[in-house]
Amino acid sequence: TKDKWVEDAVRTTFEREILGQLHPRTLVQINVQLCQGDGSVDAAAINATTLALIDAGIPLRAMVAAATCIVRPDHSIIVDPTQEEADSALSTHTFAFSNLQSNSPAYVDSRGEFSLDEYNACYDMCMAAVDRTLAFMRTAVEGKILKETQTAL
């Protein structure tokens, strides 16, 4: 089911990224509750989990962001598809990258029929989208820290 795909995406991605050895005998439990899904749910769950872990002060090896793209029946590729677009796609691809190892994905999920050229194009488009997402995350976290610092003074 889709819930298991999202669970697997989050677990697979963050088992390697959370620095659990810094806090032995500590359980980090991640609960992602989907209120409404309009496509790219696994990528959105990974992005939300990254921000939640940073906000909670959980030490991470790196920031991780994800993006989803699809290959449409006319073989065009779009990033961040709606659920309707994803349902009619030939293939769906989700890639997560960290801000430290941008060429090596932290998570990959590809489903459907696609050529190697389509896969490579999806990889490149998702990497570009993740770069923009990581830049936004960094700005958001810096803004939050600045606001909290000013409030504390």
Side-chain angles (χ1 to χ4, degrees):
T1 66
K2 289 184 181 182
D3 291 342
K4 289 295 181 184
W5 289 346
V6 173
E7 178 184 335
D8 180 59
V10 171
R11 185 180 354 89
T12 302
T13 303
F14 290 99
E15 278 180 344
R16 288 172 274 157
E17 297 300 328
I18 295 174
L19 297 173
Q21 66 273 21
L22 296 178
H23 302 283
R25 291 184 277 203
T26 299
L27 172 68
V28 176
Q29 184 171 347
I30 300 169
N31 293 314
V32 177
Q33 184 172 6
L34 178 64
C35 296
Q36 180 179 354
D38 187 29
S40 305
V41 173
D42 44 356
I46 289 170
N47 295 337
T49 300
T50 295
L51 291 171
L53 291 170
I54 290 170
D55 189 53
I58 304 296
L60 299 174
R61 195 174 319 279
M63 284 178 56
V64 178
T68 298
C69 69
I70 62 166
V71 177
R72 295 169 30 168
D74 64 356
H75 296 279
S76 63
I77 298 172
I78 60 170
V79 178
D80 193 24
T82 64
Q83 188 61 51
E84 184 179 323
E85 291 168 330
D87 289 343
S88 66
L90 294 176
S91 63
T92 304
H93 308 269
T94 301
F95 296 92
F97 298 94
S98 79
N99 62 337
L100 297 181
Q101 297 178 330
S102 60
N103 290 333
S104 177
Y107 174 77
V108 177
D109 181 49
S110 294
R111 300 171 192 273
E113 295 181 21
F114 52 91
S115 68
L116 183 59
D117 288 339
E118 289 170 334
Y119 177 86
N120 288 333
C122 288
Y123 180 94
D124 292 340
M125 292 177 77
C126 284
M127 185 185 293
V130 164
D131 285 343
R132 292 188 301 273
T133 303
L134 284 168
F136 172 79
M137 284 180 174
R138 182 173 179 85
T139 302
V141 170
E142 287 173 350
K144 183 179 186 314
I145 291 170
L146 181 63
K147 184 177 177 182
E148 288 176 351
T149 304
Q150 290 173 345
T151 303
L153 298 176

